[in-house]
């Protein structure tokens, strides 16, 4: 959903099509300077008219929001202090921000998941005890079968909630990565879009300089980051990396996938495919960011599978943890490619 919405915001604004940027230090003797200045004034007037006419909409509000403004400042400062070209600066800022925001949240999410798995092992004994108590209460208080089942289910629910409170592992906390990753992805995408199109103020000298730097801040087949990648290399790479993330998560499960998990995997596979044509319509600067972000996510997911890494960051060992995750992934890939005759047996970690 976020990908489809960003298609609208990341497309080139109409105002940017008629605006030509200039440096403040341009020579006044240059005959084209007055025309450029007039174009700048016309662009600013168009923005004001759009705002007055109520044509800005939600995405313009997002473009002018405070979080996006802060993100633009961060991106510019990272570029200025690092001295790197813009494509490398975008990659560096992506890795830094995801290391600070999403990596700690991912580790915390895995800790919560491990705690939930551990308390789930305590429930069978509790359930058996509650069954005995329910049977005794039914006989003692002459309850009907329906009354007994109601009390029994309430007792189980209360015991489960007590365990969750005891270990501080509410299941909603397993969604914490999305709460941090989605806003970060949206804000950085819109901030890069603003930098490319000199928004929200096209008359700003800094905005003009940044956009000019981006026109020569690319690499290889995309020297200009303000135009789309006509080779489609980055958009296709984005789709493949996103699909790889989904497949790694699916193949690293030791338990059979539920129907809900299969539906979710198919939905995310569809979104990964949809992102390819979306990436074909946006500036290359955004494609560089999206590919860098997805690459970080893939590396993060592979790294967090390692038992040594999990112990080093304090994730508890569980029964479903894989002893040799990378060997298992490679064998499952071979099986999918029909290079192996039988699917490999999962190897849970020893207790």
């Amino acid at each position: 959903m976020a990908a489809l919405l960003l298609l609208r915001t990341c497309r080139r604004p109409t105002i940017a099509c008629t605006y030509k940027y200039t440096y403040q230090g341009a020579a006044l003797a240059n005959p084209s300077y007055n025309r450029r200045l007039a174009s700048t004034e016309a662009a600013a007037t168009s923005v004001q008219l759009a705002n007055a006419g109520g044509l800005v909409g939600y995405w313009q509000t997002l473009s002018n929001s405070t979080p996006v403004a802060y993100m633009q400042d961060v991106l510019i400062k990272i570029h200025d202090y690092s001295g790197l070209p813009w494509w490398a600066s975008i990659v560096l800022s992506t890795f830094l921000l995801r290391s600070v925001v999403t990596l700690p949240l991912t580790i915390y999410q895995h800790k919560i998941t491990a705690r939930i798995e551990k308390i789930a092992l305590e429930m069978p004994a509790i359930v058996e005890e509650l069954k005995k108590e329910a049977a005794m209460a039914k006989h003692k208080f002459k309850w009907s079968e329906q009354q007994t089942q109601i009390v029994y289910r309430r007792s189980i629910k209360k015991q489960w909630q007590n365990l969750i409170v005891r270990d501080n592992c509410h299941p909603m906390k397993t969604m914490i990565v999305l709460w941090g990753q989605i806003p970060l992805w949206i804000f950085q995408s819109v901030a890069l879009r603003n930098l490319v199109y000199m928004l929200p103020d096209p008359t700003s000298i800094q905005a003009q300089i940044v956009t000019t730097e981006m026109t020569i801040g690319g690499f290889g087949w995309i020297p200009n980051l303000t135009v789309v990648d006509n080779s489609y290399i980055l958009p296709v790479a984005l789709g493949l990396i996103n699909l790889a993330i989904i497949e790694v998560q699916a193949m690293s499960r030791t338990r059979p996938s539920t129907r809900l998990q299969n539906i979710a995997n198919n939905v995310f596979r569809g979104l990964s495919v949809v992102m390819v044509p979306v990436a074909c319509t946006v500036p290359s600067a955004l494609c560089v960011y999206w590919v860098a972000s997805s690459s970080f996510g893939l590396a993060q997911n592979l790294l967090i599978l390692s038992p040594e890494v999990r112990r080093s960051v304090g994730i508890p060992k569980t029964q479903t943890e894989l002893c040799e995750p990378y060997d298992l992934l490679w064998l499952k890939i071979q099986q999918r490619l029909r290079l192996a005759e039988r699917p490999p047996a999962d190897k849970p970690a020893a207790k």
Side-chain angles (χ1 to χ4, degrees):
M1 184 64 181
L4 295 176
L5 292 176
L6 272 178
L7 173 59
R8 179 181 176 186
T9 186
C10 293
R11 282 178 172 173
R12 186 175 181 86
T14 304
I15 183 176
C17 295
T18 59
Y19 174 71
K20 295 182 179 180
Y21 43 83
T22 60
Y23 289 102
Q24 188 177 20
L28 294 177
N30 190 337
S32 64
Y33 177 76
N34 291 333
R35 292 195 301 272
R36 294 180 179 178
L37 182 59
S39 177
T40 301
E41 293 174 349
T45 303
S46 298
V47 172
Q48 294 173 357
L49 290 175
N51 290 336
L55 301 177
V56 179
Y58 171 77
W59 285 113
Q60 188 64 32
T61 302
L62 179 61
S63 176
N64 296 333
S65 64
T66 300
V68 171
Y70 283 137
M71 182 63 70
Q72 285 183 242
D73 290 339
V74 168
L75 294 175
I76 292 173
K77 288 179 180 178
I78 290 177
H79 170 263
D80 292 343
Y81 283 116
S82 67
L84 296 171
W86 263 106
W87 74 267
S89 178
I90 292 172
V91 174
L92 175 62
S93 63
T94 302
F95 288 175
L96 287 176
L97 291 172
R98 290 210 53 166
S99 298
V100 171
V101 178
T102 62
L103 181 58
L105 292 179
T106 300
I107 294 172
Y108 182 72
Q109 181 189 54
H110 280 269
K111 289 180 179 179
I112 296 298
T113 303
R115 292 176 190 171
I116 292 175
E117 185 175 341
K118 281 183 171 293
I119 66 174
L121 298 177
E122 301 181 34
M123 285 304 296
I126 295 176
V127 168
E128 288 300 323
E129 185 65 27
L130 290 177
K131 284 182 179 180
K132 296 178 182 179
E133 293 180 359
M136 294 174 59
K138 178 182 178 182
H139 177 73
K140 180 178 181 180
F141 299 108
K142 308 299 181 181
W143 288 344
S144 65
E145 183 66 27
Q146 183 179 3
Q147 289 175 318
T148 305
Q149 287 299 318
I150 291 175
V151 174
Y152 170 67
R153 285 193 293 267
R154 287 178 178 174
S155 299
I156 290 179
K157 184 178 180 181
K158 183 177 180 180
Q159 290 298 324
W160 175 251
Q161 290 174 343
N162 290 339
L163 292 176
I164 287 175
V165 172
R166 185 196 69 186
D167 288 3
N168 190 21
C169 56
H170 196 282
M172 284 299 295
K173 291 184 178 180
T174 58
M175 305 293 292
I176 194 170
V177 174
L178 295 179
W179 300 344
Q181 184 171 331
I182 290 179
L184 175 65
W185 189 80
I186 292 176
F187 292 148
Q188 191 165 352
S189 295
V190 178
L192 283 170
R193 178 249 195 191
N194 283 1
L195 293 178
V196 169
Y197 296 135
M198 294 174 285
L199 296 174
D201 181 13
T203 63
S204 168
I205 297 301
Q206 184 184 55
Q208 299 171 27
I209 293 175
V210 169
T211 301
T212 304
E213 290 174 341
M214 282 193 171
T215 60
I216 57 174
F219 65 95
W221 66 94
I222 45 171
N224 186 350
L225 294 178
T226 65
V227 298
V228 300
D229 181 8
N230 292 321
S231 68
Y232 305 122
I233 294 177
L234 288 180
V236 172
L238 175 65
L240 293 176
I241 294 172
N242 286 337
L243 286 174
I245 293 174
I246 298 168
E247 299 308 318
V248 166
Q249 292 176 342
M251 290 188 293
S252 60
R253 294 193 184 101
T254 57
R255 296 175 179 175
S257 298
T258 63
R259 184 172 179 271
L260 182 59
Q261 287 174 335
N262 289 332
I263 293 175
N265 286 341
N266 290 331
V267 169
F268 287 120
R269 289 186 183 107
L271 289 176
S272 299
V273 175
V274 168
M275 281 299 297
V276 175
V278 171
C280 291
T281 64
V282 300
S284 298
L286 279 168
C287 283
V288 171
Y289 164 59
W290 290 348
V291 170
S293 180
S294 295
S295 299
F296 185 94
L298 177 60
Q300 174 183 275
N301 288 346
L302 290 172
L303 187 65
I304 210 71
L305 288 175
S306 170
E308 292 78 11
V309 172
R310 295 172 69 87
R311 297 296 86 74
S312 66
V313 296
I315 300 175
K317 182 183 290 186
T318 60
Q319 289 186 339
T320 58
E321 182 179 295
L322 301 174
C323 288
E324 300 175 353
Y326 306 120
D327 291 341
L328 175 64
L329 287 178
W330 174 240
L331 289 173
K332 285 192 173 183
I333 291 173
Q334 288 182 311
Q335 190 274 333
R336 288 195 177 188
L337 297 175
R338 298 185 179 180
L339 300 177
E341 294 183 358
R342 294 181 302 174
D346 296 340
K347 300 178 181 181
K351 296 182 180 179

